[in-house]
Amino acid sequence: MFYFIQRRLFKNLDYYIFNFYIFQEAIISSEDYGRDYDHCVRLQKKMKEFDQDLAVDAARVDKINKMVEKLIAEGHAGSTTISHRHQNLNEAWNRLQDRASERRQKLAEACEIHAFNRDCGDVADMINEKSVLLSSEDYGKDLLGVEALIRKHDDLERGLIVIEGKMESLETEAHRLVRTQPHSGHIIQAKQMEIIDKWEHLNDLFDERKGKLEANRLLQIFLVDYHDLMTWMTDMVTHLSSKDTAKNVKDSEAMLELNRERKDELERRKESLGSASAFGKSLIEQGHYTAGAIAEHLEELEIMRAELLQLWEKRQSQLEQSHKLHLFLRNADQALTWIANKESFLSSEERSDSLDTVETLLKKQMNLEKSITAYKDKIEALREYTEQLIGDQHCDSQLISSRRDLVLEKWKKLQHRASTKSGNLGESKILFQFLRDAQEVS
């Protein structure tokens, strides 16, 4: 009976010692702590399954210990051998427990490292995604476009706040891991520095893009003013370069009034030009990245402004000369009409066959001569006005001179004909008076 118990006990002792050394200890001696967090979790699950098997073995080891203690207490003949093998079993069991505890601890630490690396990877992916967006070379083609991009940039900033919160969490976790796992401190700190470098680069990209968008916004504001002013000035150049001419005094006065209105418009736009110029110069002084192009635009505005003023002055001079010409032509035409009317009177064939009719004609002639005398001031004024226009080197001086000469020639002829007719009527009156007196004497 005792021999059977001894054989059974030795068999169990040999089995468990072999099992612990060969199989179970081989499992817990593995240096595999997982490729990533999920893999590590699977290894922890296997370790839990191993712990469950270990719990079963613990009950069996306890049963063997009680059996050994009983045999030794009863003075079994093989107590020395039993005790030696029992000691080997407990030593193997304790080593297994220690190795299992160490395996559990290292897996737990590895899971924390893998979780930290996973979180770093997630944050890195978020940073890379935002970096792609912030690396865009599209800064907007116009003011509406750049303002839309600025709104998107502001939205992106909220995403960076989220990343910043995760970065703070990673920093806290890194400090904890370095404290609890100093043996892995250099790995943790290297990973932390890697993600910090990415984060700082992302912030640099954010600030750089924000600065470029703002610079482009200012440029587009300037360009809106620039294009508006250039469009207005180009249109004004077209108007001031017009070859339209007045046909009469009324037309010339209307054109002069329109040109004065355009001068008023030039004055009103002077403030806009000054503001655009000052704004452009401020951008250049701030070192704007398109300072060269802005300077060229400012030069174009100044050249166009100077050209506008010259064109206005030229147009004003043309219109003033046109107005003076039409004033002269109107007065000259009125004088010619007046002279023609008087000549018509002088050319009329009225009966002068009696003293009464001659006296009547003489009264009419005297009235005509009075009107000629009165009109002399207008002829003189016309002549003086002509001399003034010619003296001012009017562009139509030749036309003015020839029309003046025509008026003066007809005026001279009118005076001569009036004088001649007055003389003839005077002689006729003397003749009829003589005939009447002679008839009375006879």
Side-chain angles (χ1 to χ4, degrees), residues 123-167:
V123 173
D125 289 341
M126 295 174 68
I127 289 174
N128 290 336
E129 179 186 349
K130 297 296 185 291
S131 294
V132 171
L133 297 175
L134 292 173
S135 299
S136 171
E137 294 296 324
D138 180 13
Y139 300 108
K141 300 295 188 295
D142 52 37
L143 185 57
L144 291 178
V146 71
E147 287 177 344
L149 289 175
I150 287 175
R151 288 193 293 272
K152 288 183 179 179
H153 194 76
D154 293 339
D155 292 340
L156 193 62
E157 186 173 12
R158 288 189 280 273
L160 264 63
I161 293 173
V162 173
I163 296 177
E164 185 177 24
K166 293 184 178 295
M167 287 292 298

Side-chain angles (χ1 to χ4, degrees), residues 335-350:
L336 289 172
T337 300
W338 189 89
I339 291 172
N341 288 335
K342 301 311 176 188
E343 285 181 337
S344 176
F345 173 78
L346 290 174
S347 298
S348 62
E349 296 292 338
E350 294 189 49

Side-chain angles (χ1 to χ4, degrees), residues 23 37 53 64 156 175 180 380 393:
F23 294 105
Y37 178 77
D53 294 340
I64 291 172
L156 193 62
H175 290 162
T180 58
E380 184 61 24
Q393 297 182 338

